[in-house]
Amino acid sequence: MASRSAREVAYETIRSRIITMDLKPGDELNDRELAQELGISRTPMREALIMLNIAHMVVIKPQSGTHVAPIDLKLMEMEQFARFTLEKEILNRIRGRLTAEQEAAYRLNLESYRQLERDPDAENRETRMLDLDNAFHRRAFQLCGMEEHFDHMLSTFQHIERLRKFSLQTEENKSVCAAHTRILEAVLRGSEEDLSRALSDHLNRYKLSVEQARQHHPEYFTEGTVRPVDHRI
C-alpha cells in the first residue's frame, strides 16, 4: 500500500484536531507554523487547508487569514439524517438474528461504557467513551460484513463528530447507555417500528447537546452552510 502523501497526513491531522476540539471554532490556523509542526513544506499544508475549507471545517478569507469553521447546524442535521437512514437499514438486517455470543459482545460493550461513566477520573475517559460508542454502532455493520460502510460514513462526518465531544462534558452523556440498551433490546425482540423509534430517539438527542453547548459557547455555531472560498492551487 502506498504511503500517505504529506497533504493527506496534514489533512487527517488537522481534521482530527478539529473534531476532538483541540482546535476550536474561531482558532487561527497558520500554515507556516502548522507545516513546521508536522515537518512538511507549506505547499501540502496549504492544499490540506483548502481541502478542509471545501469540507466546511476551515474558513479561508483573503486578508483575514484561515480559521477553524464554526459547527454548522444545518450540515449537522444532514449528517445525522444520513446516519439514521443507513444505520436503520443495517440494524434491521440483524434484527431477531443475534446469537447468544453476539448479544454477549454487545452487553460487554455496554458494561464497559457504564464503568467509565462511574469513573470520572479514568485515564483518557472521553476518548475511550467515544471509542466504545463507535464500537457499539459499528458492530451491526461488522455482523453484516459492511464495516467499511460505517468507517466511510464516520470519515465524512465533520460537524456532528465535534458535537459528540461536547456531549461527553454534559449531562447528555448519561443517556448513552440507556439508549444503546433500548436499541439492543429492539434488535433482539422488537419490531421494525420499535427499532426505528429507539434509534431515532438516540440520534436526535444531539439537539439537547446543541442547546447546552450553545449556552456556554454560542460563537462555536452557525445556523447555515458556509460556502467555501474558491481557492485555486
Side-chain angles (χ1 to χ4, degrees):
M1 180 180 297
S3 60
R4 294 182 300 167
S5 68
R7 179 180 63 185
E8 291 172 329
V9 171
Y11 173 85
E12 292 173 12
T13 300
I14 302 304
R15 178 184 183 275
S16 176
R17 291 181 63 187
I18 291 173
I19 284 178
T20 59
M21 297 299 287
D22 177 44
L23 291 171
K24 298 176 174 57
D27 283 357
E28 185 175 3
L29 300 173
N30 184 293
D31 62 345
R32 181 185 291 106
E33 294 177 359
L34 290 170
Q36 290 176 346
E37 183 180 336
L38 294 182
I40 63 176
S41 68
R42 291 181 68 185
T43 296
M45 178 55 69
R46 288 185 64 250
E47 292 172 345
L49 292 175
I50 290 171
M51 291 168 62
L52 288 163
N53 173 241
I54 294 170
H56 303 285
M57 299 192 76
V58 158
V59 176
I60 301 175
K61 293 184 178 180
Q63 315 305 323
S64 299
T66 302
H67 297 81
V68 177
I71 298 173
D72 190 314
L73 297 178
K74 181 62 177 178
L75 288 177
M76 184 187 300
E77 180 182 350
M78 292 168 61
E79 290 173 356
Q80 205 69 334
F81 178 75
R83 176 171 186 167
F84 168 74
T85 303
L86 178 57
E87 192 164 349
K88 180 177 67 170
E89 169 65 24
I90 296 300
L91 286 169
N92 270 305
R93 293 188 182 189
I94 65 169
R95 183 171 53 86
R97 296 181 174 87
L98 290 187
T99 66
E101 182 180 2
Q102 291 165 347
E103 178 184 350
Y106 266 110
R107 295 199 183 280
L108 178 60
N109 175 284
L110 292 172
E111 181 54 33
S112 298
Y113 197 100
R114 288 192 189 95
Q115 290 178 5
L116 286 174
E117 280 185 330
R118 293 192 290 263
D119 186 4
D121 298 320
E123 186 177 1
N124 297 323
R125 180 174 181 263
E126 292 181 5
T127 298
R128 290 162 64 191
M129 291 173 84
L130 281 174
D131 287 345
L132 285 168
D133 191 347
N134 283 333
F136 177 89
H137 289 280
R138 190 175 189 268
R139 189 170 301 278
F141 289 78
Q142 288 177 313
L143 294 176
C144 292
M146 299 174 65
E147 56 267 38
E148 294 89 352
H149 289 69
F150 180 86
D151 295 339
H152 174 73
M153 175 181 70
L154 216 61
S155 72
T156 63
F157 289 170
Q158 324 290 357
H159 300 273
I160 194 66
E161 289 301 291
R162 287 199 275 174
L163 183 68
R164 292 175 69 203
K165 183 74 172 180
F166 270 122
S167 70
L168 291 174
Q169 302 166 9
T170 71
E171 293 298 307
E172 278 307 293
N173 77 83
K174 296 180 179 179
S175 73
V176 171
C177 259
H180 284 183
T181 300
R182 284 192 293 272
I183 292 171
L184 177 58
E185 293 301 325
V187 168
L188 291 170
R189 288 172 280 276
S191 64
E192 184 175 346
E193 183 180 352
D194 294 332
L195 181 54
S196 178
R197 185 183 306 110
L199 182 63
S200 177
D201 288 347
H202 177 44
L203 295 185
N204 277 315
R205 287 190 69 86
Y206 81 90
K207 296 174 183 177
L208 297 176
S209 295
V210 168
E211 292 177 7
Q212 293 191 30
R214 292 182 80 178
Q215 291 177 8
H216 299 286
H217 296 286
E219 73 279 9
Y220 284 3
F221 297 87
T222 183
E223 296 285 351
T225 303
V226 179
R227 184 180 298 278
V229 177
D230 181 17
H231 281 259
R232 303 186 185 279
I233 301 172

